[in-house]
Amino acid sequence: MGVIGKPHGVRGLVRVNSFTAEADALEAYPLTDRTGRRFALAWLHDNVAQLSEVTPHGKRPVTDRTEAETLTNLELFAPRSALPEADAEEFYLADLIGLRARSEAGAELGTIAAVHDYGGGSSLEIMPGSVLVPFTRAAVPVVDIAAGHVIVVPPAEVTVAP
């Protein structure tokens, strides 16, 4: 959902890179890090926020630069149940992981192991073989999350062995 960036000032404020459609929405989600620590944030301006760790005793704000520095590059996650339902023809990329990949003829090609996005568009990694296929309508014309599979029509330069 977001990544904590560098500290801002000396009072524990941090820059936060939000990956939500609207950056302000990040404030509404119950956030955790990879270890399960819970966080809340309050936007102050631009991408600067006051971060608090949520403990059994309540919110404990980060109040000094030294503590804020220890949080640099910390990834923030929200539970899938807290996210709104995707619209038709829209997908949460995380929901694609684990789907079976099939050819147009129905041959099993493997399983989507990861979704990568290096800035030029998303690609699906199909295992076994670690084959990358662009996640475009031309290369992946059918996504059926309910049925647990996608149809893959790889570009000519990509070989996916059934």
Side-chain angles (χ1 to χ4, degrees):
M1 299 296 294
V3 175
I4 298 173
K6 295 180 179 182
H8 178 81
V10 296
R11 293 189 173 86
L13 301 180
V14 293
R15 294 190 180 279
V16 179
N17 296 314
S18 175
F19 302 126
T20 57
E22 299 293 328
D24 291 348
L26 189 62
E27 192 171 27
Y29 289 107
L31 302 170
T32 62
D33 67 5
R34 287 189 186 276
T35 66
R37 280 190 309 174
R38 298 181 327 157
F39 292 93
L41 65 83
W43 291 112
L44 300 177
H45 56 84
D46 298 325
N47 65 341
V48 175
Q50 173 68 62
L51 192 70
S52 297
E53 184 172 2
V54 178
T55 70
H57 306 291
K59 292 180 181 177
R60 184 190 60 77
V62 174
T63 57
D64 68 76
R65 183 178 182 88
T66 302
E67 184 179 4
E69 286 173 344
T70 67
L71 300 174
T72 299
N73 295 323
L74 185 74
E75 296 174 306
L76 299 172
F77 302 92
R80 177 65 173 87
S81 60
L83 302 177
E85 287 301 314
D87 290 335
E89 297 298 313
E90 290 186 344
F91 314 98
Y92 286 111
L93 297 179
D95 291 344
L96 301 174
I97 298 170
L99 296 181
R100 294 179 316 277
R102 295 182 177 159
S103 71
E104 286 183 296
E108 292 286 332
L109 303 174
T111 302
I112 298 173
V115 180
H116 303 285
D117 192 337
Y118 301 110
S122 298
S123 59
L124 306 179
E125 182 176 359
I126 300 172
M127 297 295 278
S130 192
V131 175
L132 292 178
V133 175
F135 186 47
T136 62
R137 187 171 300 279
V140 186
V142 176
V143 175
D144 191 337
I145 291 177
H149 73 271
V150 298
I151 302 296
V152 175
V153 180
E157 63 271 11
V158 176
T159 302
V160 181

